Amino acid sequence: MLKLIVFLLFLLYMPSENHIKIYNTFNNRLDTIYPDSDNTIKIYLCGVTVYDKSHIGHARTIITFDVLRRYLLYKKYKVIFIENFTDVDDKIINKAKEQQISPSKLANTNIKQYFKDFTSLNVLKATKYPRATKHINEIQDLISNILKKKYGYITSTGIYFNVKKFPNYGKLSGKTIENLKSGIRISVDDEKQNPVDFALWKFSNEKPNWPSPWGNGRPGWHIECSAMAMKYLGNNFHIHGGGNDLIFPHHENEIAQSESVTHQNPASIWLHTGLVNIESNKMSKSLGNVVSVEQILELFGPNVIRLYVISSHYRSPLNYNEKTVMNAVTNWKLIENAISELQSTINLNSNIKNLTKTLETEFSNIEKALDNDFNIPLSLGAFMRIIKLINRTASEGKLSITFKKTFEKKLTKIMDIYGFKLPYVTKLEVKEIEMLIDKRTKFRLNKQFNEADKIRQILNDKKIEITDYQDRVVWRKTT
């Protein structure tokens, strides 16, 4: 009986073709993502601190996690996705003072801009977007538990977490307490038991503040995420992520806070994305080289931005410059052309045997790449080979309706994984567009070029771009 139970457990947890391996910062190895028994995967993404507009660095992380979520859904997992807003913070308070507005108004303005930006980028809405200011009770409860278990202490300035009481502090980042202490030149609070102890609650009578059993104040940054993650995902969930600038101190301190109370690592896998550099320089306000999502959307549009962001492996640094973005522009034009070729084909030739094997291999390569450390660039290589094959087949006049019916659905699913979104065209619009193209073709055959040009202009006004070939006209809706 015992052998049977062991065998059944082995079958339950053994890696399968449906499982995805991804790099775990916690142990520096590839780990398999195992769902709950109901096939659910729970993800917590550390969101933005809303003291300013979101920038290209935020977009890199959020789009990467959006593609991961889309791929998990494609693989038939259920996904609970939590992404927080840090809406109380010293940066928010200081920026609000500069602008002579309330911190809540500044936060609300930037949250509104966030949703505008990332809706435009076709990012799926999170299951919940918890805000720190809406979870003060949960934050205070967690602090109370930390104090009861003697991991925290109170000074005249606030409540601090005692890192020396937590075994293996630094196990995520690889930093030691002694090394951290040697890097601190000035003690910011003489009452702290250790210079590297961090704030759980900051005493303050300045707004915004909240009453607490210990005195008026506001939460520290790290405790906010621990409390919200535990509320919505439990003591241990599957993936906790963010940019790699959050590994220390934010995620290191989250582990210490949460584990001191629950005795469990909050997440099975800690997933981090590389930073974005601007022209090979670190992006920073002091250098004046911060590129907002709003700016790049206006310059390039959502599909090019998504393609640019996922063209580099998620763990590698991403360099933002004209050349790298223009590569994405070129590739997006190839993708648009392939899709328009598919939707415009009228060729009845059904001989696709020579193409089927190649395309199925490439579709399989896409999944293999994504299953192995979520290698989106490698999967994109296979995807672009499919795109180029479609364009080449079309240019040779061999793209058929049979081909379209066989591969269009699969191609659409892959496009959805990457989050590419083509302008929607209704059946009525398609009928109208094709009628106008037929009229224009007749005018051209009759050498009535002025009339033909008028129809081209009508189509342009409808944002329909047409390309003339010797034997056909290909059209596509532009954004």
Side-chain angles (χ1 to χ4, degrees), residues 319-356:
N319 195 34
Y320 179 88
N321 59 37
E322 186 178 345
K323 183 180 177 182
T324 54
V325 180
M326 290 313 295
N327 284 340
V329 170
T330 300
N331 282 332
W332 179 248
K333 285 180 179 177
L334 291 173
I335 294 167
E336 275 189 319
N337 190 72
I339 301 302
S340 62
E341 290 283 7
L342 275 177
Q343 71 183 12
S344 302
T345 185
I346 56 171
N347 189 353
L348 295 175
N349 176 20
S350 61
N351 183 17
I352 61 168
K353 289 182 181 179
N354 294 334
L355 299 173
T356 299

Side-chain angles (χ1 to χ4, degrees), residues 15 19 47 50 62 66 69 133 139 184 199 227 235 241 248 289 300 320 326 332 336 383 400 408 424 465:
H19 285 136
V50 286
I62 291 163
D66 183 59
R69 182 184 180 190
T133 57
I139 290 167
I184 297 174
N235 293 345
F248 187 89
N289 64 354
F300 301 108
Y320 179 88
M326 290 313 295
W332 179 248
E336 275 189 319
F383 176 74
S400 67
E408 190 175 39
Y424 179 70
E465 185 179 288

Side-chain angles (χ1 to χ4, degrees), residues 257-268:
Q257 293 164 158
S258 300
E259 197 171 322
S260 68
V261 171
T262 67
H263 307 294
Q264 295 182 70
N265 191 323
S268 300

Side-chain angles (χ1 to χ4, degrees), residues 77-333:
Y77 294 110
K78 291 177 278 186
V79 180
I80 298 174
F81 193 94
I82 307 298
E83 181 184 342
N84 76 295
F85 287 118
T86 297
D87 62 343
V88 55
D89 181 84
D90 290 345
K91 289 180 179 179
I92 296 172
I93 294 167
N94 293 334
K95 188 71 176 284
K97 286 178 182 176
E98 287 176 23
Q99 297 186 7
Q100 297 184 328
I101 59 175
S102 69
S104 61
K105 184 174 182 180
L106 177 66
N108 289 336
T109 298
N110 288 321
I111 288 172
K112 185 177 179 181
Q113 183 65 45
Y114 174 94
F115 283 118
K116 181 181 177 183
D117 290 343
F118 287 96
T119 299
S120 297
L121 282 170
N122 198 31
V123 170
L124 297 174
K125 285 283 193 296
T127 309
K128 282 188 180 295
Y129 289 98
R131 296 171 58 159
T133 57
K134 304 297 183 185
H135 293 79
I136 299 299
N137 289 340
E138 289 84 358
I139 290 167
Q140 291 184 359
D141 287 346
L142 182 54
I143 294 172
S144 293
N145 282 329
I146 291 171
L147 287 171
K148 284 176 187 175
K149 292 177 179 290
K150 311 296 184 186
Y151 283 97
Y153 59 90
I154 303 173
T155 74
S156 64
T157 61
I159 302 174
Y160 291 89
F161 188 92
N162 189 337
V163 296
K164 277 197 168 181
K165 289 282 187 76
F166 184 74
N168 301 318
Y169 181 79
K171 58 186 176 180
L172 176 69
S173 63
K175 298 179 185 291
T176 65
I177 294 174
E178 292 308 313
N179 286 341
L180 290 169
K181 284 171 67 176
S182 66
I184 297 174
R185 297 181 183 179
I186 302 170
S187 177
V188 294
D189 187 344
D190 291 335
E191 295 182 60
K192 286 169 65 173
Q193 295 180 16
N194 194 307
V196 297
D197 292 347
F198 56 90
L200 302 172
W201 187 260
K202 299 177 181 181
F203 294 141
S204 176
N205 288 316
E206 182 183 28
K207 298 292 184 180
N209 68 358
W210 292 264
S212 80
W214 321 285
N216 290 346
R218 58 181 182 270
W221 175 31
H222 316 299
I223 196 72
E224 298 171 359
C225 281
S226 286
M228 290 185 285
M230 289 166 70
K231 175 172 182 175
Y232 294 105
L233 298 177
N235 293 345
N236 176 263
F237 46 93
H238 302 92
I239 299 171
H240 195 316
N244 66 17
D245 56 330
L246 298 183
I247 295 173
F248 187 89
H250 188 50
H251 288 165
E252 190 72 72
N253 292 347
E254 275 194 68
I255 290 173
Q257 293 164 158
S258 300
E259 197 171 322
S260 68
V261 171
T262 67
H263 307 294
Q264 295 182 70
N265 191 323
S268 300
I269 294 174
W270 290 82
L271 178 62
H272 296 96
T273 57
L275 299 183
V276 175
N277 297 318
I278 308 295
E279 296 288 355
S280 301
N281 295 311
K282 183 180 178 181
M283 185 170 58
S284 71
K285 287 192 176 294
S286 61
L287 293 173
N289 64 354
V290 175
V291 180
S292 72
V293 173
E294 188 179 32
Q295 286 174 300
I296 54 173
L297 272 168
E298 190 174 334
L299 287 170
F300 301 108
N303 291 310
V304 169
I305 296 168
R306 290 189 73 105
L307 185 55
Y308 154 72
V309 162
I310 64 177
S311 293
S312 178
H313 193 277
Y314 74 90
R315 287 193 281 121
S316 303
L318 179 62
N319 195 34
Y320 179 88
N321 59 37
E322 186 178 345
K323 183 180 177 182
T324 54
V325 180
M326 290 313 295
N327 284 340
V329 170
T330 300
N331 282 332
W332 179 248
K333 285 180 179 177

